[in-house]
Amino acid sequence: MINNILFILITVLSLLTISRIIAVSNLIDTIRGRKPWEVTLKENGINAFLCLMMVFFGWFLYFYFYIKYVRGGLLLPEAASLHGKDIDVLSDVSFTIISVAYLLVQPFLWYFAFRYRMRPEGRAYHFAHNTRLEMVWTIVPAIIFCTLIFYGLKIWIKVFFSETEGDKLTVELYAQQFSWTARYAGSDKKLGEANYCMISDNNQLGIITPETIDEQIAKIGEKYKAVLHALDNFPDPAKFKELKRERELLTHQMKVLSDLKKQSAQKPFADGQDDIVILPAVGEFHIPVGRPVELKMRSQDVIHSAYLPHFRVHMYCSPGSITTFTFTPTITTQEMREKLAKEDFDFLLYCNNICGSAHFNMQMKVIVETEEQFNLWLSQQKTFSASRAPANSVPADTAKTSAQMATL
Amino acid sequence: MATTITTPTDVLEHSAHAASAHHHREPFITKYIFSQDHKMIAKQFLVTSIFWAFVALIMSIIFRLQLAWPGQGFVITEMLMGKWGPDGVLDPNAYLSLVTMHGTIMVFFVLTAGLTGTYANLLIPLQLGVRDMVNPFMNMLSYWFFFASSVVMFISLFVESGPAAAGWTIYPPLSALPEAIPGSGLGMTLWLVSMALFIISSLLGGLNYVATVINCRTKGMKMTRMPLTIWCFMTAAILGILSFPVLFAAALLLIFDRSFGTAFFLSDIYINGMALEHTGGSPVLFQHLFWFLGHPEVYIVLLPALGIASEIISTMSRKPIFGYRAMVASMFAIAGLSFIVWGHHMFVTGMDPFLGSVFTFTTLLIAIPSAIKAFNYITTLWKGNIVLSPGMLFAIGIVSLFISGGLTGIILGDSALDITVHHTYFVTAHFHLVMGIATLFGIIAGVYHWFPKLYGRMMNNQLGYVHFWITMVCAYAVFWPMHYLGLAGVPRRYYSNTAFPMFDNLQDLNVIITVAAIIGGLAQLIFLYNFIYSIFWGPKAPQNPWRGTTLEWTAPVEHIHGNWPGEIPEVHRWPYDYSIEGEKEDFIPQNVPLREHELKEAAKHH
């Protein structure tokens, strides 16, 4: 309390003091016949000198950070992917150009402010335009930027439109608040279809197989029954509203499921059986070095973004659509550790689009290893159908309810 | 005699409002509150946005504390955040709310309303030699819609589930689902309502600015004789008129998705153990709509700041602005291009990569007119007789930041490089320099320079110098190191980096940034003090303290309705007749008739 009073007192007194000082200095100016707002030569000189200092401040900023961070290896290490190397070259070229521009142009600004400061009896030089000069600094940047544009586009097209050679590995990255799940296509090299209405506690990705459809219909049927039951028991108004909403959503989900059931009569939905799902709890997924990896990204809830900066890979994951990014890793985790002399180094996948409270901790390790190591690792993982508990037999009455629901 | 000007004819009436006009006493309410006088409206915008700037500043200090010293308790957090800062440690959701609201407030309420609202209102009539805006009533509504919008946004800070927290870009589904983040409940609803009101305000203002510039200029004020400030205000207003409605549409569709069960932006969402019924929507569609405003918005705020810089640099260098026509042309080029570059915010959203290459092309083209502008500013300083007033220093600061921030844009605009730096601190650093601080400097430079026109008094120079140098150095100290965080792969909007051992050796950067931000923030108190002190006790301003040529300096210091007693001034020359050889004074105001030799020369050209 005393502290607060003291603080307020000191603030008020110092404000009063500054006000008095200003008032007195204005008065002195007036008595001396000067206008208090007019910039004196002395003031102008001091500020001009500080402008000159800005030239050195600008250079200092650039070189200090360049030496400490860029040269010091505190930034991202060299790209660990094929296209990443091209991007790094483009990046070096672009940064060189903008660094030169920064180091040359800023000093002109601040130096001119210093050099041409107000002088007694000084007079500016009336210089309103000069077509030749203006042409120079239109055409020179135009040439530089156009070169950069075409160079950049060349790399961009290479990243996204070049045909990948060799046997492509398809990996699905599935984002949800706040974790990643990876899925491999298995021996058929096809990812099984998935639907968000199929998501359940033992089918986190909503993979569609004939078995999971039946199981999900049974589960949702149970849930629906429970909601109906709760609604019958006269819940309080808030709860009632919530339950009604839940009933609505479950009805919609059941419609989608019954559609899938109908489809399954014509379509085998067999691609998903041998898929390999790496759950978030594992915390890492593996890819082989030197082989193109096609990432297919999906999201369960909000927009996430799969950011793998070491490979110069970045793509949003939006609910309702599948985005892709293909890249070829060129350095294994082990090699990178040796290169950086860091035993605990790991390539990381992390979220780079605001997605909620734990957005800052949504990551998964990416282990790059040789083809043999990778194949060994993959062969140790269970396929989707093998990982699920033996299918529960569906109770008769539930099956009946779901059959009724399916006709909704 | 009626003192309110309500129709264009009143404005154009040269002899309206004789000198006796200002003897008429107006009631407090119509003079200070529901005023239709453009000068009063300008001051209202200015004061409201200064209030908002400090709110946003305090928010940034709170989240910067968390970033520099994650998990530590701070008295200021505990005091201001209440249940969101137990024991002074910021809550992760509150962190996201703070960055969201900091962005929203700064972009819309400070940089847009504070800059255009203040200076377009003040300067368009004064520099064009007209008595008021073409529609003063609409102008008044523009402020009051802004005020209403401010009130709604301010209320949203205090709702139980917290204010909007999906980032200032409010990408759905995060902004559409209260299940995803608490801020997307009532807080988001209020955000959208406030933004709708804001857009109305901005349109009312913008239409007025454009209509005034096109229809109402004093005799002799050809378009080519307009000061660059006016060109910039007009272009920015046109950009606003064309792009803000698109944000309005996006906000409306988002309201439908949130409340009426439509699915424009939502599809296939499973959240909170439930599969939602929305199918077929596209979250990327929202991003297109948002950035169709969002990118021109950058120029809506930046162009007026550059206009202010042009005017001040020319006046204080005692030289004409170099390449007037090139300045206008490059401004038009920037404005035109700004409408076809929005996709550079979306290179990695899953948008067709071919489209991405088109946007790279158009985006990097903007660098050319921007370079022309920067070089023209520098040449204006060359061989000047430079008076380094605080306003002038801030104007030079704008150019400095425009160069630094603009150059990093070349990295971000290049789609292939954007893959790595997208959504990292590199982006944050880039747009804070070129859009945030440069524009803020525009507001501040304007306050120092046009204070005599706003309040009829002068600000204190010494305090202004202290304010400038601390702010300038801190601006670089905050945002320069941030680039390196981005290049190390640190994403923005992370509550803390503690979950990533790979960022551990970058933590000292975060500490530097926060310390610089606090010092820079405190320096703004010097400005606030200078501002308030000078309004009441500053020395009385003379009519033309900076010896400027434009028409606002021919108006009397005392604010009167209609700006000029008697006839409005007639314009005979362009606005940059500084340091003409053979003249006694180093400036010739626009309303001074042409000299004999000038008349001869003009006759020769015709």
Side-chain angles (χ1 to χ4, degrees):
Chain A
M1 192 60 203
I2 297 281
N3 274 341
N4 287 351
I5 293 172
L6 264 179
F7 177 74
I8 293 168
L9 209 66
I10 290 171
T11 317
V12 170
L13 282 178
S14 46
L15 285 179
L16 279 176
T17 317
I18 300 170
S19 315
R20 285 298 87 197
I21 293 172
I22 294 172
V24 170
S25 91
N26 285 349
L27 197 65
I28 293 173
D29 280 344
T30 320
I31 291 168
R32 285 186 181 164
R34 280 201 308 115
K35 291 158 193 146
W37 66 86
E38 267 188 355
V39 182
T40 61
L41 276 171
K42 196 179 152 206
E43 278 172 355
N44 209 58
I46 296 170
N47 281 294
F49 175 74
L50 290 171
C51 284
L52 183 64
M53 289 298 108
M54 279 302 287
V55 175
F56 300 106
F57 181 64
W59 284 339
F60 163 76
L61 276 180
Y62 181 84
F63 288 109
Y64 175 77
F65 283 93
Y66 180 74
I67 291 164
K68 183 166 180 201
Y69 290 90
V70 183
R71 287 276 140 208
L74 293 177
L75 307 182
L76 284 175
E78 60 168 301
S81 66
L82 216 51
H83 78 272
K85 294 198 191 320
D86 291 332
I87 289 182
D88 280 5
V89 177
L90 172 66
S91 171
D92 288 346
V93 171
S94 305
F95 270 108
T96 310
I97 290 172
I98 69 167
S99 300
V100 170
Y102 169 82
L103 292 171
L104 289 182
V105 178
Q106 285 279 2
F108 272 110
L109 176 73
W110 293 107
Y111 174 72
F112 283 174
F114 161 76
R115 170 68 182 77
Y116 300 105
R117 64 192 179 279
M118 172 176 64
R119 313 278 172 124
E121 307 305 312
R123 198 156 170 129
Y125 167 54
H126 184 93
F127 184 51
H129 67 94
N130 178 315
T131 314
R132 195 177 293 170
L133 257 182
E134 287 172 79
M135 290 303 272
V136 168
W137 59 61
T138 308
I139 293 169
V140 171
I143 293 170
I144 296 174
F145 293 132
C146 285
T147 321
L148 264 189
I149 290 172
F150 287 108
Y151 183 25
L153 287 181
K154 206 182 124 203
I155 306 294
W156 173 254
I157 287 163
K158 218 168 151 187
V159 173
F160 280 101
F161 293 100
S162 59
E163 286 295 312
T164 51
E165 294 156 27
D167 187 16
K168 199 163 61 174
L169 173 75
T170 303
V171 183
E172 178 180 75
L173 290 179
Y174 185 73
Q176 69 190 93
Q177 287 180 330
F178 300 95
S179 63
W180 297 96
T181 309
R183 176 161 67 127
Y184 294 81
S187 48
D188 63 352
K189 293 188 176 155
K190 275 185 202 152
L191 287 168
E193 273 182 66
N195 188 299
Y196 76 111
C197 287
M198 293 290 296
I199 295 169
S200 70
D201 43 6
N202 63 350
N203 185 8
Q204 290 85 345
L205 300 188
I207 298 170
I208 309 171
T209 65
E211 299 83 52
T212 52
I213 295 176
D214 289 339
E215 195 182 309
Q216 185 76 341
I217 288 176
K219 267 186 195 160
I220 300 303
E222 278 295 318
K223 238 178 163 176
Y224 188 81
K225 259 174 55 179
V227 169
L228 286 189
H229 185 71
L231 272 173
D232 285 343
N233 288 343
F234 305 106
D236 63 76
K239 187 81 186 143
F240 180 74
K241 215 177 146 193
E242 207 177 286
L243 285 167
K244 263 182 70 177
R245 166 96 178 126
E246 220 168 300
R247 187 179 63 182
E248 225 174 82
L249 293 183
L250 289 172
T251 313
H252 163 260
Q253 193 172 359
M254 212 45 159
K255 268 186 205 154
V256 174
L257 291 176
S258 63
D259 274 353
L260 285 174
K261 181 79 191 156
K262 272 178 217 151
Q263 282 178 40
S264 69
Q266 283 104 41
K267 223 170 162 184
F269 284 123
D271 295 343
Q273 302 281 16
D274 64 345
D275 286 1
I276 292 161
V277 178
I278 309 294
L279 292 175
V282 180
E284 61 180 49
F285 72 101
H286 294 227
I287 45 176
V289 73
R291 186 173 151 195
V293 177
E294 183 189 36
L295 295 178
K296 286 188 175 264
M297 282 152 280
R298 287 199 295 138
S299 167
Q300 183 176 86
D301 33 45
V302 299
I303 298 175
H304 301 273
S305 185
Y307 186 44
L308 301 97
H310 303 105
F311 307 104
R312 316 293 186 250
V313 169
H314 194 176
M315 188 52 72
Y316 280 26
C317 316
S318 302
S321 65
I322 298 173
T323 49
T324 61
F325 200 116
T326 309
F327 71 108
T328 312
T330 51
I331 304 175
T332 63
T333 303
Q334 198 52 43
E335 284 167 2
M336 202 64 174
R337 284 178 180 170
E338 282 158 19
K339 257 186 196 175
L340 300 175
K342 263 199 242 164
E343 258 321 290
D344 54 350
F345 175 85
D346 268 308
F347 295 119
L348 283 181
L349 152 71
Y350 47 100
C351 182
N352 196 354
N353 194 46
I354 180 170
C355 66
S357 60
H359 167 54
F360 68 101
N361 189 11
M362 180 172 161
Q363 52 175 314
M364 198 180 199
K365 282 181 194 163
V366 188
I367 310 289
V368 184
E369 51 196 10
T370 59
E371 188 80 37
E372 301 85 60
Q373 287 170 323
F374 171 74
N375 287 337
L376 181 70
W377 173 81
L378 198 63
S379 64
Q380 287 163 349
Q381 311 302 318
K382 280 186 181 167
T383 61
F384 178 62
S385 49
S387 69
R388 286 153 45 80
N392 301 322
S393 57
V394 182
D397 58 332
T398 320
K400 208 171 131 198
T401 327
S402 48
Q404 285 169 356
M405 291 265 318
T407 56
L408 282 174
Chain B
M1 190 171 101
T3 48
T4 347
I5 302 169
T6 43
T7 66
T9 38
D10 287 349
V11 181
L12 289 170
E13 203 174 30
H14 285 206
S15 56
H17 308 291
S20 66
H22 62 284
H23 293 307
H24 175 77
R25 276 191 67 81
E26 264 210 86
F28 183 83
I29 268 220
T30 52
K31 185 165 177 199
Y32 291 106
I33 299 173
F34 294 105
S35 171
Q36 300 189 16
D37 186 323
H38 70 102
K39 302 181 288 295
M40 184 55 70
I41 295 171
K43 287 191 270 189
Q44 290 173 328
F45 267 108
L46 180 64
V47 170
T48 316
S49 67
I50 287 179
F51 165 77
W52 273 123
F54 276 90
V55 172
L57 175 73
I58 293 167
M59 287 178 168
S60 69
I61 300 290
I62 295 174
F63 67 67
R64 277 310 321 175
L65 283 173
Q66 156 64 23
L67 285 169
W69 297 285
Q72 272 190 44
F74 292 97
V75 182
I76 181 172
T77 313
E78 193 170 17
M79 245 165 55
L80 293 173
M81 299 302 289
K83 71 166 178 173
W84 300 100
D87 301 324
V89 183
L90 193 61
D91 171 85
N93 278 323
Y95 169 83
L96 293 179
S97 285
L98 284 183
V99 294
T100 302
M101 297 313 287
H102 170 80
T104 307
I105 291 169
M106 286 308 293
V107 170
F108 295 108
F109 293 70
V110 180
L111 302 183
T112 308
L115 187 62
T116 310
T118 306
Y119 298 108
N121 264 317
L122 178 74
L123 295 179
I124 287 179
L126 277 173
Q127 290 194 330
L128 290 181
V130 288
R131 298 201 183 274
D132 208 314
M133 290 286 177
V134 283
N135 196 329
F137 181 73
M138 227 161 96
N139 211 17
M140 175 187 82
L141 279 187
S142 159
Y143 175 73
W144 285 101
F145 269 103
F146 170 57
F147 187 80
S149 151
S150 295
V151 169
V152 174
M153 197 59 93
F154 197 68
I155 288 172
S156 90
L157 298 178
F158 300 98
V159 299
E160 201 192 345
S161 53
W168 80 277
T169 54
I170 57 159
Y171 283 0
L174 188 60
S175 60
L177 307 171
E179 299 95 325
I181 194 165
S184 292
L186 183 57
M188 193 64 223
T189 308
L190 291 176
W191 193 101
L192 289 165
V193 170
S194 165
M195 202 44 61
L197 291 170
F198 183 86
I199 293 167
I200 295 171
S201 149
S202 151
L203 290 179
L204 289 172
L207 288 170
N208 232 335
Y209 306 150
V210 176
T212 308
V213 174
I214 291 178
N215 296 319
C216 277
R217 297 187 304 273
T218 186
K219 200 174 165 199
M221 180 64 88
K222 294 188 251 177
M223 292 292 259
T224 48
R225 283 181 181 165
M226 296 197 311
L228 282 173
T229 32
I230 304 299
W231 277 110
C232 291
F233 294 142
M234 183 183 77
T235 317
I238 293 172
L239 292 184
I241 291 167
L242 294 178
S243 63
F244 263 114
V246 180
L247 179 68
F248 192 79
L252 210 62
L253 297 182
L254 186 56
I255 289 172
F256 281 5
D257 269 12
R258 287 166 50 83
S259 310
F260 307 125
T262 57
F264 293 106
F265 310 128
L266 307 179
S267 184
D268 296 20
I269 293 163
Y270 182 90
I271 196 163
N272 227 2
M274 296 302 293
L276 302 187
E277 72 272 52
H278 309 277
T279 45
S282 163
V284 178
L285 171 63
F286 179 86
Q287 295 166 28
H288 279 293
L289 294 176
F290 183 88
W291 288 115
F292 191 83
L293 158 87
H295 200 81
E297 169 69 15
V298 171
Y299 295 100
I300 291 171
V301 304
L302 187 61
L303 286 179
L306 291 177
I308 286 171
S310 312
E311 189 64 24
I312 297 178
I313 287 179
S314 166
T315 308
M316 299 318 243
S317 303
R318 317 305 298 155
K319 273 187 69 187
I321 190 84
F322 183 77
Y324 175 88
R325 276 162 198 271
M327 289 300 245
V328 175
S330 56
M331 180 197 65
F332 276 138
I334 292 175
L337 284 170
S338 79
F339 273 105
I340 47 172
V341 297
W342 79 89
H344 67 225
H345 299 269
M346 303 169 56
F347 285 138
V348 293
T349 54
M351 182 177 78
D352 186 337
F354 173 72
L355 211 50
S357 57
V358 176
F359 282 122
T360 301
F361 185 76
T362 52
T363 302
L364 291 193
L365 282 184
I366 289 196
I368 300 166
S370 305
I372 297 173
K373 272 186 141 10
F375 287 126
N376 283 2
Y377 286 126
I378 292 174
T379 317
T380 308
L381 293 178
W382 181 70
K383 286 201 175 180
N385 192 35
I386 301 170
V387 184
L388 293 166
S389 67
M392 176 61 171
L393 286 170
F394 274 101
I396 297 174
I398 295 171
V399 180
S400 170
L401 295 163
F402 180 63
I403 295 170
S404 303
L407 285 171
T408 49
I410 292 166
I411 305 295
L412 289 161
D414 201 328
S415 51
L417 297 177
D418 187 64
I419 295 173
T420 324
V421 287
H422 182 84
H423 266 184
T424 63
Y425 270 104
F426 194 85
V427 181
T428 317
H430 159 75
F431 74 76
H432 271 90
L433 281 182
V434 76
M435 176 192 181
I437 304 293
T439 310
L440 213 50
F441 273 27
I443 300 179
I444 296 170
V447 171
Y448 281 114
H449 193 78
W450 280 290
F451 201 77
K453 284 292 124 191
L454 283 163
Y455 293 98
R457 289 172 188 272
M458 303 300 290
M459 284 178 85
N460 184 282
N461 278 352
Q462 284 74 26
L463 288 178
Y465 292 137
V466 176
H467 173 221
F468 171 74
W469 287 109
I470 300 179
T471 311
M472 187 73 229
V473 171
C474 285
Y476 272 115
V478 169
F479 297 110
W480 190 273
M482 232 179 233
H483 290 98
Y484 297 86
L485 281 177
L487 294 173
V490 182
R492 57 197 285 217
R493 292 167 179 158
Y494 266 24
Y495 168 68
S496 89
N497 301 327
T498 44
F500 291 82
M502 67 185 248
F503 299 147
D504 280 353
N505 51 18
L506 298 165
Q507 192 54 25
D508 54 340
L509 280 180
N510 268 325
V511 175
I512 297 174
I513 293 170
T514 302
V515 171
I518 293 172
I519 298 172
L522 288 175
Q524 304 318 305
L525 293 177
I526 303 174
F527 171 73
L528 189 65
Y529 170 80
N530 196 355
F531 181 75
I532 295 173
Y533 176 87
S534 305
I535 289 177
F536 298 104
W537 302 289
K540 282 239 166 14
Q543 196 180 19
N544 190 358
W546 313 120
R547 298 149 57 78
T549 52
T550 38
L551 291 182
E552 77 270 32
W553 306 113
T554 64
V557 178
E558 291 79 24
H559 282 179
I560 53 171
H561 259 312
N563 296 336
W564 285 269
E567 292 273 331
I568 53 172
E570 187 183 336
V571 167
H572 300 279
R573 50 181 75 239
W574 79 319
Y576 299 107
D577 269 346
Y578 286 107
S579 302
I580 303 251
E581 244 176 291
E583 286 287 328
K584 196 166 145 282
E585 292 286 336
D586 64 355
F587 70 108
I588 312 174
Q590 282 190 280
N591 60 345
V592 173
L594 291 180
R595 309 280 193 244
E596 221 164 276
H597 64 96
E598 287 173 318
L599 279 171
K600 271 185 205 148
E601 215 163 290
K604 234 191 285 172
H605 281 297
H606 281 290

